[in-house]
Amino acid sequence: IKIYSLHVDCKVTSRFAHTVVISKIVNQANESREATFEVELPKTAFITNFSMSIDGQVYPGVIKEKAAAQEEYDTAVSRGQSSGLVKITGKSLEQFHVSVSIAAASKVTFELVYEELLKRQLGNFELLIKVHPKQLVKHFQIDVHIFEPQGIRFLETDSTFMTNELSEALTKVQNETKAHILFKPTIDQQKINPELNETLLNGDFVVRYDVKRGAAAGDIQIVNGYFVHYFAPREMPVFPKNVVFVIDRSGSMAGRKIEQTKYALLKILQDLSPEDHFSFIIFNSKVVEWKSSLLQAITENVMRAAGFVETLSASGGTDISQALLRAVSALDKAQGLPERSVSMIILLTDGQPTAGERNVEVIQENVQKAVNGKYALFCLGFGFDVSYKFLEKMALSNGGIARRIYENADAALQLQGFYQEVATPILMKIEMQYPENAIEGLTKNNFKLFFEGSEIIVSGKISNELELLPVEIKAQSHISDLTLKEEANVKEKEQVFRNQSYIFGDFLERLWAYLTIQQLLEKSVSAQEEDQRTLEAQALELSLQYSFVTPLTSMVVTKPPGQQQTELANKPSEAG
């Protein structure tokens, strides 16, 4: 079975990435063989299309509501569940895998399309393409086209497998607003060495970039009646933070996990700024507060804290409830904190609650009542024994986010990386206001916190008669309350994308749908049951309308007669 052509074509238009992977395979044996197509894609992406064509006959994937697809599948395959075509393969990736049996001398072309909105983190956008053909490929090519009307501020490529030889196959052409990156290694350049038919191509191909930012109130783009508004203010003073670290030291944390946690905490302590205040709450079945109040992060307190972290060891049960309630009360009774500052609780745990209150619903309710919108709660789940659903619901109900920390060599880096994302809050209580009577389907437009290096994105539909789209942003910075205003001329903005070959048709409408679905799903996590059903129904309708494989839809893949006829591609969820 030989892959004779593999082409990854990615178009990024105004942060929205549309990736097409086409693999062409021939069976050179004189009997039928299994041809396999494997693509690793970002978890944040939605698959939107798949097809196989075998000797001219096309077998398309069809996206349906999950329950209907499952029913069709169960009818086709009376032996119940197969493992499905998509599974999670790492902290940021999932893998689409399909194989089909093809006759001697037959050819098959696989095509997969997925889309995602690139998210700005720590000051840049990152497009990740996984490369792993497992064999030498005669026609191998990666094309990345980027069009950013705001202008490209910097652009770099990075790869885990690049050699001097291979870098000759990489070209980059760039002007003010556009870039084209082409990676097209010959068979000889792909080889580990001239004698061996083994490929070097195995790993990550990454494109990183950021855009130029002019207007204080962000940048508005408009196509076919849909708008997107990007807001990422620069050079603002950082709010002092008041952080309570709530660290699980139960028996299951023993060994590598507690060592990695200690290592990450020591690094994080060094990153605290002298205006910050902090404390530790360490828990197993018992809850211990390091100090009776939050301390200012001056050198001598940081050194004391480091000494304390060094002594941590793991044993006992897990009383998550008591630990979190003590963290809230520590912030409630803290004195001498800077007047304009951001208070947050960062919980790290690797298990279920096994001591104290064990009912997760009661814990969620009590914590939400205690936090009462005053602080942001971030929940980090270490490994796979945690109830991720519980942590996610708790974080999203209290203005934070949840993240799974994968148990591997770089767990300490994952912890530090997460901390860096939330370490520099520069705005709070951000309200993005648009004329109510002229906008429909507005995505989330109120944000609790904005962190340096990230970006706020709001999108919606504009009613026909609008000529000017006025925008007002209200927010609190460390120094003052801000009001920023901007007006976008709808016709002028529409012109920007008019004659661009880069544009895939209705990209802004798809961007709006993608963002809306992501937010409806996120909202449903912490919603009451009745609201949850409404939110999921709306997300399902959009998933079907725009053909996205989301947690509510499945793609039914049909194969030629005589093989397992039907398989399902589902979106795997972090909560499992």
Side-chain angles (χ1 to χ4, degrees):
I1 285 282
K2 193 167 184 58
I3 302 173
Y4 61 93
S5 166
L6 182 57
H7 190 186
V8 181
D9 182 64
C10 182
K11 289 185 169 59
V12 184
T13 306
S14 185
R15 335 278 198 270
F16 196 61
H18 172 93
T19 304
V20 183
V21 184
I22 297 176
S23 174
K24 297 183 176 182
I25 297 177
V26 60
N27 177 6
Q28 295 180 328
N30 46 18
E31 57 189 8
S32 23
R33 285 267 199 274
E34 205 65 352
T36 300
F37 177 62
E38 252 177 23
V39 177
E40 280 193 283
L41 58 142
K43 281 180 185 171
T44 43
F46 289 149
I47 290 173
T48 167
N49 212 335
F50 169 73
S51 68
M52 300 183 278
S53 78
I54 303 170
D55 297 333
Q57 174 79 32
V58 179
Y59 300 87
V62 182
I63 295 175
K64 303 191 168 185
E65 182 188 352
K66 209 171 204 169
Q70 190 61 50
E71 212 169 290
E72 184 174 326
Y73 175 79
D74 290 339
T75 318
V77 186
S78 48
R79 42 172 211 188
Q81 277 295 104
S82 90
S83 60
L85 301 173
V86 188
K87 62 176 193 290
I88 289 181
T89 52
K91 63 175 185 286
S92 54
L93 293 166
E94 56 196 38
Q95 183 195 63
F96 177 88
H97 170 114
V98 69
S99 47
V100 61
S101 170
I102 56 171
S106 275
K107 288 180 177 176
V108 55
T109 298
F110 294 104
E111 178 171 330
L112 180 73
V113 183
Y114 60 86
E115 292 179 340
E116 67 174 319
L117 183 56
L118 301 180
K119 193 174 168 204
R120 189 166 183 254
Q121 273 175 324
L122 302 175
N124 54 49
F125 299 100
E126 189 171 289
L127 178 73
L128 169 64
I129 294 169
K130 271 306 235 198
V131 178
H132 189 30
K134 296 180 183 168
Q135 54 171 269
L136 300 171
V137 177
K138 187 174 180 188
H139 301 288
F140 179 93
Q141 187 169 333
I142 295 177
D143 273 295
V144 178
H145 289 273
I146 297 171
F147 174 50
E148 288 290 351
Q150 281 168 272
I152 297 170
R153 187 176 67 77
F154 86 92
L155 173 77
E156 61 181 30
T157 56
D158 195 1
S159 154
T160 52
F161 53 78
M162 210 44 89
T163 58
N164 288 343
E165 275 276 276
L166 276 174
S167 61
E168 290 170 13
L170 180 66
T171 53
K172 196 163 85 175
V173 183
Q174 183 184 347
N175 66 18
E176 187 70 10
T177 55
K178 292 180 194 167
H180 175 211
I181 291 155
L182 172 64
F183 179 54
K184 196 176 178 180
T186 62
I187 283 222
D188 286 340
Q189 287 171 320
Q190 293 170 42
K191 287 182 181 178
I192 288 182
N193 67 41
E195 282 71 60
L196 284 177
N197 278 344
E198 282 179 34
T199 178
L200 283 163
L201 305 182
N202 180 9
D204 301 351
F205 184 82
V206 179
V207 178
R208 269 186 217 97
Y209 74 92
D210 195 20
V211 300
K212 294 178 178 167
R213 290 186 172 77
D219 189 77
I220 294 170
Q221 299 174 17
I222 300 173
V223 178
N224 296 342
Y226 284 80
F227 82 91
V228 63
H229 183 186
Y230 297 113
F231 178 55
R234 305 189 309 249
E235 291 155 17
M236 291 236 172
V238 175
F239 277 105
K241 301 185 293 303
N242 316 306
V243 191
V244 182
F245 295 97
V246 182
I247 306 297
D248 182 346
R249 65 174 197 99
S250 59
S252 54
M253 284 287 288
R256 185 156 89 155
K257 282 194 218 169
I258 195 84
E259 291 310 316
Q260 290 174 317
T261 301
K262 284 156 69 167
Y263 179 83
L265 287 173
L266 291 170
K267 289 277 193 226
I268 287 169
L269 280 169
Q270 291 167 10
D271 285 345
L272 289 171
S273 111
E275 294 78 57
D276 293 339
H277 287 71
F278 74 104
S279 187
F280 285 101
I281 289 177
I282 307 298
F283 70 99
N284 46 20
S285 329
K286 291 195 196 64
V287 177
V288 177
E289 282 186 65
W290 172 51
K291 296 284 183 220
S292 55
S293 64
L294 274 78
L295 296 188
Q296 194 171 345
I298 53 177
T299 312
E300 112 198 39
N301 289 338
V302 167
M303 283 175 71
R304 274 201 214 140
F308 169 70
V309 167
E310 293 281 13
T311 65
L312 293 181
S313 62
S315 65
T318 312
D319 187 348
I320 293 178
S321 176
Q322 193 56 33
L324 284 173
L325 293 174
R326 288 273 280 280
V328 175
S329 118
L331 285 168
D332 282 347
K333 63 177 203 269
Q335 285 169 343
L337 300 181
E339 196 178 320
R340 276 185 181 249
S341 57
V342 169
S343 298
M344 54 175 82
I345 297 167
I346 297 180
L347 166 71
L348 171 70
T349 178
D350 76 333
Q352 318 271 359
T354 62
E357 178 58 68
R358 293 176 197 184
N359 180 328
V360 292
E361 274 152 21
V362 175
I363 298 175
Q364 276 159 358
E365 209 168 302
N366 292 344
V367 168
Q368 193 170 350
K369 212 176 285 172
V371 170
N372 194 18
K374 294 173 294 199
Y375 317 124
L377 170 61
F378 297 97
C379 296
L380 302 176
F382 205 143
F384 280 86
D385 298 329
V386 291
S387 164
Y388 189 79
K389 239 184 180 138
F390 158 61
L391 295 179
E392 184 177 40
K393 181 167 183 179
M394 209 155 48
L396 292 174
S397 308
N398 294 289
I401 56 172
R403 186 73 60 84
R404 193 190 293 281
I405 302 297
Y406 278 69
E407 275 182 72
N408 52 26
D410 76 345
L413 285 173
Q414 294 175 52
L415 288 167
Q416 281 164 256
F418 170 79
Y419 174 75
Q420 280 167 344
E421 283 175 48
V422 299
T424 48
I426 56 175
L427 290 177
M428 57 198 281
K429 300 190 177 148
I430 305 110
E431 285 179 40
M432 315 278 283
Q433 297 170 343
Y434 307 88
E436 269 176 37
N437 48 0
I439 302 288
E440 273 179 74
L442 189 66
T443 61
K444 178 178 168 156
N445 64 330
N446 282 339
F447 302 85
K448 193 166 181 162
L449 291 170
F450 175 79
F451 298 100
E452 175 84 78
S454 65
E455 180 173 62
I456 283 176
I457 304 179
V458 181
S459 182
K461 305 181 230 186
I462 305 173
S463 71
N464 301 342
E465 39 299 341
L466 204 65
E467 284 173 19
L468 290 174
L469 173 62
V471 177
E472 184 169 287
I473 301 173
K474 291 192 162 143
Q476 294 176 9
S477 81
H478 178 34
I479 300 165
S480 62
D481 290 0
L482 301 176
T483 302
L484 303 169
K485 292 185 177 178
E486 180 73 52
E487 222 172 28
N489 180 315
V490 176
K491 282 207 169 52
E492 270 175 33
K493 290 285 181 187
E494 290 253 9
Q495 282 308 319
V496 175
F497 291 98
R498 273 286 139 77
N499 31 21
Q500 296 298 341
S501 56
Y502 278 48
I503 310 309
F504 40 101
D506 49 1
F507 90 94
L508 227 168
E509 185 177 339
R510 296 188 67 78
L511 181 158
W512 167 82
Y514 171 98
L515 191 58
T516 304
I517 293 167
Q518 293 278 29
Q519 291 178 357
L520 287 167
L521 293 171
E522 191 172 286
K523 223 164 149 185
S524 79
V525 170
S526 55
Q528 299 299 322
E529 206 169 309
E530 208 167 298
D531 298 338
Q532 209 166 12
R533 280 201 287 272
T534 314
L535 292 164
E536 286 185 355
Q538 289 172 302
L540 171 63
E541 192 181 331
L542 285 171
S543 303
L544 291 170
Q545 186 182 341
Y546 290 95
S547 83
F548 284 130
V549 178
T550 69
L552 303 170
T553 52
S554 291
M555 182 187 280
V556 180
V557 173
T558 309
K559 294 185 181 177
Q563 306 185 39
Q564 183 187 335
Q565 279 269 265
T566 311
E567 288 192 282
L568 291 188
N570 290 328
K571 177 100 187 138
S573 105
E574 194 61 80

